[in-house]
Amino acid sequence: ENTPSAGFSAASPERFYAPVIQGDEFGPQSVNVADQQVDPASLWNRIRRMIELRKAYPLFAERGFHWVDAFGAELAVFWRTHGARRVLIANNLSPEAQKLGIPVDESGTALDLFSEARSPLSAGKLWTIKLEPYEYRWFEFIPDDMDE
């Protein structure tokens, strides 16, 4: 969509908060709503999926927030909880791939909320997660004794 707003706004350009980025790489001809909507890997679709998950998981609106402190400044890892439901959020803030190990206190399944891949987890073992540079992953932990 080669409009002054790239499809992100219906306002006239003089009412934009800031000028739209121009140029071949990031201008409206390259980054626009129409192209983002049809690309399943686009930022637009990723944010859309995050909003869907936020609405589907009430725990994101609750107070249950617990940092996992075993990692350095390169990783921001925390649990969101509500009742028996738990979601682990793992964020790699660095330009290097990172590997983390989360202690598992009860057997269950890790459900990747973006890919929907499932990984079995065993009590007493480490749950190993690899994150590419600047990658983030959200996992729901489903205990073996919990009905989905």
Side-chain angles (χ1 to χ4, degrees):
E1 192 170 309
N2 200 4
T3 65
S5 70
F8 289 98
S9 174
S12 61
E14 58 274 358
R15 294 192 43 112
F16 293 170
Y17 175 78
V20 173
I21 296 171
Q22 298 298 319
D24 292 339
E25 189 174 3
F26 297 111
Q29 69 280 4
S30 300
V31 179
N32 58 69
V33 172
D35 290 346
Q36 291 275 307
Q37 287 177 327
V38 297
D39 178 2
S42 72
L43 178 61
W44 189 91
N45 276 306
R46 192 66 157 194
I47 298 297
R48 189 173 145 269
R49 178 69 177 138
M50 287 177 163
I51 293 168
E52 287 173 0
L53 289 169
R54 167 76 167 73
K55 290 178 179 178
Y57 284 80
L59 58 81
F60 285 114
E62 297 296 325
R63 293 184 180 164
F65 179 97
H66 309 282
W67 284 107
V68 178
D69 294 324
F71 308 104
E74 301 85 13
L75 296 166
V77 182
F78 56 90
W79 287 99
R80 294 302 309 252
T81 59
H82 178 70
R85 299 199 75 175
R86 295 185 282 172
V87 171
L88 181 79
I89 310 294
N91 302 282
N92 182 0
L93 308 177
S94 79
E96 306 294 327
Q98 301 288 327
K99 193 168 161 181
L100 56 144
I102 305 291
V104 177
D105 57 356
E106 62 182 306
S107 294
T109 301
L111 170 64
D112 185 312
L113 296 180
F114 291 108
S115 72
E116 299 183 359
R118 293 172 178 266
S119 303
L121 302 174
S122 298
K125 297 196 175 180
L126 280 181
W127 172 13
T128 303
I129 301 169
K130 184 177 182 212
L131 296 171
E132 296 301 326
Y134 303 111
E135 184 180 21
Y136 52 90
R137 309 223 2 232
W138 299 2
F139 298 94
E140 180 175 16
F141 177 75
I142 305 164
D144 283 343
D145 62 353
M146 184 174 141
D147 294 330
E148 290 184 62

